[in-house]
Amino acid sequence: MTNAQLDTPVLILGGGVAGLAAAVDLARRGVAATIIEREPRLGGRASQFCCKATEACARCGACRLGELLVQAAHLPQITIYTAALAVAAQPQGDGWRVELSPQPGGEIGPGPGRPLRERTTLNTQAVILAVGGEAFNPAGKTRFGHGRVDGVFSALELEAMLSQGALGPDGLAPAKVAFIQCVGSRDASLGRLWCSRVCCGYALRMGRVIRKLLPESQVTFFHMDVQDYGRAWEDELPELRKQMRFVRAMPGEVTAGDGRPEVTYALAGEQAIKEGFDLVVLSVGLGPPNGASALGELFGAAKDSDGFLTTDGGPAGVFVAGAAAGPRSLNESMVHGGLAASQAASRVASLTEARHG
Amino acid sequence: MRLNDCDPGFKHEVAAEPGGEGIRACFACAACSARCPVGANRPDYDPRRLIRLTLLGRRDEVLSSPLIWLCSSCYTCGEVCPQQVRFTEVLTAIKNIAAREGHAPPSAKITAELLAKQGRLLEVTDFENDKRADLGLPPVEQRPGDFQAILGLKPAEGEAGEEPR
Ligand SMILES: Cc1cc2nc3c(=O)[nH]c(=O)nc-3n(C[C@H](O)[C@H](O)[C@H](O)COP(=O)(O)OP(=O)(O)OC[C@H]3O[C@@H](n4cnc5c(N)ncnc54)[C@H](O)[C@@H]3O)c2cc1C
Ligand code: SF4
Ligand code: SF4
Ligand code: SF4
Ligand code: SF4
């Protein structure tokens, strides 16, 4: 049986915000693109995120996914396949010849795109790798108790709990919440030296949402320092410091106390103490994509010293966008998608010119 | 605290000492302080504070402090440290400088004397060796020579020494 054939100027792997933003940007430039998403649904991580507005929008970027999905659905230059995986790739002429394989679980959903039904061979002039990064698995930091101590959650789990309304007056009503920052980031003992850049912002914003939902609750923010997480972040801090307790110390461990997790930490000039919380949230960082080496093998994509994919030093016609290239916020990932789109567009333009000129 | 009382070279001095180089990487995150068992019993013993004092250049204060001799070398601080500072080794470097400048406490001198005499802190007596004989184990010998060499009491032995037991 021969494969179905498909030609596209630009192939985008990954339908998170970076891949979608790249496709929309290309369409605006009049360049057609095909998005291949591994999962049955588009959206990537942002589809799990809660709105972090309190009195005003917190500029967390989560709702921009919705705008992107609407645009992607309406722009005729964009083709989307979900539940599809690139399984082989080879340079062919000026571009790439990519084998796509359908993945289980693909159903036609409400969003744009339809599942890939058969093995397909796709010819393209440029590839954008927008496969996102992996969130740190907090079980790797054993002493913080994730998976062992009841009441300890990763920030990803909290995002989902908040977006599903599991926390609040009608759901779980924790009185004391602790955020532990830099879990799986800035940690030489894990070989993860980078700052993940998004976790200070999401933790403070989710802390503020919890205070709004449950005004009686107390939120403690265990951190080393607060990183720049977006526009006007410094102006927000004085108000955030009033709403939450900022503790400048990394806890030594989280243990199972009397029915709830206990956090051991030391304040400057004071002896270490154990304090009980109802909810301990581990602010997990962003790391290189899990399949980085697989994609490296498929497309010969280059990696930086931390293992993130990079356009520099990689093969011609392969561009990287979003969190796959390093920790980035949603807004930054969209801008980065736009950058990869402009690079891919100029490649397509110069190849077309060469062919016709 | 006056800046003039601080010795900006002290941190480099510590970092140049074997084991002391890790001090350069400290984030002051206090994970070590949260877990140190000595600190749990002595409110004034705090690894993060000793590191900060060293980085600030409080040379005399650190070297003459009785606190630096309290570490139990349990390595818990190293286990939890995100920066691989290895504070136990950093403190050994600090103690070596302190000892050279005559700050070693009397207990350290007694320890050195015991090691020079017995080659170990606990004296091996017939009690231990009889027990070992009952179990079919060879006797333990006291071999203080190595320690005498380290302490400068006699020249170092060649490589071809007897296998330690
Ligand atoms: C707990 C947590 C909270 C966060 N909160 C915020 C926040 O509030 N605000 C903010 O700005 N940022 C936040 N971030 C960061 C945010 O997740 C990233 O900025 C964003 O997801 C990056 O978008 P992306 O499109 O590059 O990657 P992703 O969103 O990860 O999307 C990548 C897509 O590629 C698909 N894919 C992967 N491999 C393949 C493959 N081989 N073939 C085809 N498709 C593939 C994936 O299924 C996914 O759909 C948070 C991150 C974490 C971990
Ligand atoms: S940017 Fe974030 S906080 Fe603002 S409205 Fe959108 S989802 Fe809510
Ligand atoms: S953004 Fe904040 S929590 Fe995340 S790694 Fe950087 S400093 Fe740590
Ligand atoms: S090695 Fe010393 S400083 Fe480190 S935790 Fe143990 S007693 Fe404390
Ligand atoms: S745990 Fe490591 S980095 Fe943190 S204060 Fe202690 S020595 Fe410094």
Side-chain angles (χ1 to χ4, degrees):
Chain A
M1 194 185 89
T2 51
N3 285 354
Q5 298 286 321
L6 212 64
D7 282 328
T8 185
V10 182
L11 166 66
I12 299 171
L13 288 190
V17 291
L20 288 165
V24 169
D25 196 284
L26 283 165
R28 293 234 176 82
R29 294 165 194 270
V31 180
T34 303
I35 297 179
I36 297 295
E37 166 60 51
R38 183 183 56 185
E39 301 298 322
R41 290 187 54 198
L42 288 174
R45 245 176 238 302
S47 55
Q48 303 279 320
F49 292 167
C50 61
C51 169
K52 298 175 185 74
T54 44
E55 274 73 30
C57 162
R59 295 184 300 273
C60 79
C63 58
R64 297 200 46 199
L65 172 64
E67 297 165 24
L68 281 174
L69 288 171
V70 170
Q71 288 169 333
H74 288 96
L75 287 164
Q77 294 91 339
I78 301 176
T79 312
I80 301 170
Y81 288 103
T82 55
L85 197 64
V87 289
Q90 51 189 172
Q92 174 105 337
D94 295 329
W96 290 83
R97 186 186 169 86
V98 183
E99 302 290 328
L100 303 175
S101 164
Q103 296 297 293
E107 279 168 35
I108 299 184
R114 57 203 143 95
L116 189 75
R117 287 291 178 217
E118 53 187 334
R119 266 188 98 95
T120 304
T121 302
L122 181 144
N123 294 301
T124 186
Q125 290 166 331
V127 181
I128 296 178
L129 303 176
V131 294
E134 212 49 49
F136 179 69
N137 177 356
K141 201 76 190 163
T142 339
R143 64 191 168 97
F144 290 146
H146 189 265
R148 288 189 299 122
V149 177
D150 282 347
V152 179
F153 294 91
S154 88
L156 273 179
E157 291 165 324
L158 181 68
E159 287 268 11
M161 283 157 78
L162 285 171
S163 65
Q164 290 155 17
L167 220 68
D170 302 329
L172 199 65
K176 282 183 76 181
V177 181
F179 285 89
I180 301 180
Q181 296 305 109
C182 300
V183 177
S185 315
R186 303 173 76 192
D187 194 331
S189 69
L190 297 169
R192 300 166 70 95
L193 301 179
W194 56 90
C195 165
S196 291
R197 304 193 46 234
V198 295
C199 13
C200 279
Y202 73 59
L204 289 170
R205 287 163 175 153
M206 287 199 283
R208 192 165 51 191
V209 168
I210 292 174
R211 292 273 294 121
K212 172 103 189 300
L213 283 173
L214 301 161
E216 306 294 298
S217 59
Q218 277 177 33
V219 177
T220 305
F221 181 71
F222 290 103
H223 68 298
M224 296 195 265
D225 36 40
V226 185
Q227 290 296 316
D228 170 348
Y229 57 81
R231 187 154 58 89
W233 69 285
E234 275 178 305
D235 301 337
E236 290 180 358
L237 281 185
E239 182 53 33
L240 286 167
R241 283 181 194 278
K242 280 186 219 153
Q243 293 188 23
M244 296 171 216
R245 182 168 62 132
F246 278 57
V247 175
R248 210 181 155 281
M250 288 310 281
E253 63 184 335
V254 180
T255 46
D258 205 6
R260 58 182 194 162
E262 281 181 345
V263 178
T264 307
Y265 66 98
L267 295 174
E270 286 176 32
Q271 236 171 328
I273 50 169
K274 260 187 203 300
E275 186 178 338
F277 291 89
D278 301 305
L279 202 68
V280 174
V281 183
L282 306 181
S283 293
V284 291
L286 282 169
N290 254 350
S293 29
L295 286 166
E297 273 166 38
L298 275 183
F299 293 99
K303 286 196 257 172
D304 69 14
S305 55
D306 290 327
F308 291 98
L309 298 173
T310 156
T311 300
D312 303 331
V318 176
F319 308 97
V320 186
R328 269 182 183 75
S329 69
L330 293 164
N331 289 331
E332 288 168 334
S333 297
M334 287 181 248
V335 173
H336 206 228
L339 173 68
S342 74
Q343 290 169 322
S346 50
R347 177 177 165 85
V348 170
S350 63
L351 289 178
T352 313
E353 208 169 286
R355 220 170 273 166
H356 297 286
Chain B
M1 189 189 1
R2 279 156 42 90
L3 218 52
N4 286 352
D5 300 338
C6 297
D7 175 355
F10 184 42
K11 54 183 178 289
H12 301 303
E13 194 182 340
V14 171
E17 195 75 21
E21 57 283 346
I23 195 162
R24 293 201 179 98
C26 177
F27 272 156
C29 76
C32 50
S33 309
R35 291 288 297 279
C36 173
V38 173
N41 291 290
R42 279 283 303 248
D44 47 350
Y45 185 86
D46 179 345
R48 166 163 77 167
R49 184 159 189 277
L50 287 171
I51 295 174
R52 294 330 281 174
L53 286 171
T54 303
L55 292 174
L56 279 170
R58 306 288 290 171
R59 191 176 191 282
D60 297 340
E61 192 178 337
V62 171
L63 294 182
S64 64
S65 168
L67 293 174
I68 61 175
W69 302 93
L70 293 182
C71 168
S72 69
S73 297
C74 70
Y75 289 90
T76 304
C77 49
E79 193 193 310
V80 299
C81 176
Q83 279 296 92
Q84 296 178 318
V85 169
R86 302 208 283 184
F87 178 66
T88 325
E89 314 294 347
V90 171
L91 199 57
T92 303
I94 290 173
K95 284 187 281 194
N96 280 333
I97 300 172
R100 286 203 294 271
E101 300 191 3
H103 292 295
S107 63
K109 295 200 181 79
I110 296 168
T111 304
E113 281 162 19
L114 284 173
L115 288 173
K117 185 163 152 256
Q118 302 168 175
R120 53 187 75 227
L121 288 178
L122 287 176
E123 191 181 0
V124 180
T125 63
D126 289 345
F127 176 79
E128 285 83 13
N129 279 334
D130 287 350
K131 282 254 177 225
R132 289 177 66 90
D134 289 348
L135 294 166
L137 295 168
V140 174
E141 282 171 39
Q142 307 206 137
R143 300 181 64 253
D146 294 347
F147 288 98
Q148 289 165 2
I150 291 169
L151 293 164
L153 301 174
K154 66 166 247 205
E157 274 176 41
E159 292 283 283
E162 197 192 325
E163 276 296 301
R165 301 227 197 123

